[in-house]
Amino acid sequence: MADAVESIIKCAIEVHGSAVLALPGGTTPVPIFRELANRNLNWSGVTLLPTDDRLVPIDHVLSNAGLIRRFFGSTEARLVTLLDDDDGIDTVGYSASRTLRTLRWPLDLVWLGMGEDGHTASILPGPDFEAALNRSSEHRACSVVPDPMPLEAAVARITLTRAALVATRCLILTITGEKKRLVAERAFREGCASTVAIGRVVAWAQAPAVVFWCK
Ligand SMILES: O=C1O[C@H](COP(=O)(O)O)[C@@H](O)[C@H](O)[C@H]1O
């Protein structure tokens, strides 16, 4: 998996002079981040941002931007966050969309994770689910108050919208375990009619999704 991301970075730098990658949070990408961060790459040409974040300070254990900073902070990559210090639930969607507008689109890679409930990025069940999936492409980010709150990170979120997540040259999904494999397979079969976010995002993808799975 780290080899695939390394190739995407090298290829984007060769073609565009830079590489812009959206990375997942949570637990699944950790071993791959560790391996990738040690690769000898032209990191000064790389911009990294989270696909989504939890509305917590960057030094909080649940922060996805904090996770990226922990692994890639010692490289020369430019690290973009979706949250400003003074952002709250009412302002974060607007300020993250403004930040995202400054990046080069389409992105070179959107790397997604997925929860056992089929959520991807922070497109979680609740009152913001359809907005995160259906907002038009000027709205690249959307605040999300999950309902029910996921037990592993029971906080409000900011997420790239589906329109932003599919605006990418490469789309990768990393999942682990039998349960997630079954959820993903079902969601891919259901496509646009899926009740879970991963099915609806992948059904819209501009690039074919490449899935990395391990037990
Ligand atoms: O809440 C989140 O969950 C998903 C999946 O996380 P994992 O711990 O099951 O790998 C993650 O992709 C997303 O970025 C994160 O905020």
Side-chain angles (χ1 to χ4, degrees), residues 23-30 50-54 62-64 67 111-117 119-124 150 152-153 157-159 173-176 180:
L23 306 181
T27 52
T28 308
V30 167
T51 55
D52 65 296
D53 216 336
R54 289 85 177 259
L62 291 178
S63 168
N64 289 343
L67 177 72
W111 169 1
L112 295 171
M114 186 195 85
E116 287 190 348
D117 59 358
H119 83 264
T120 193
S122 276
I123 308 182
L124 283 142
E152 66 285 2
R157 313 293 186 98
I158 176 74
T159 188
L173 170 66
T174 44
I175 48 174
T176 53
K180 284 189 181 180

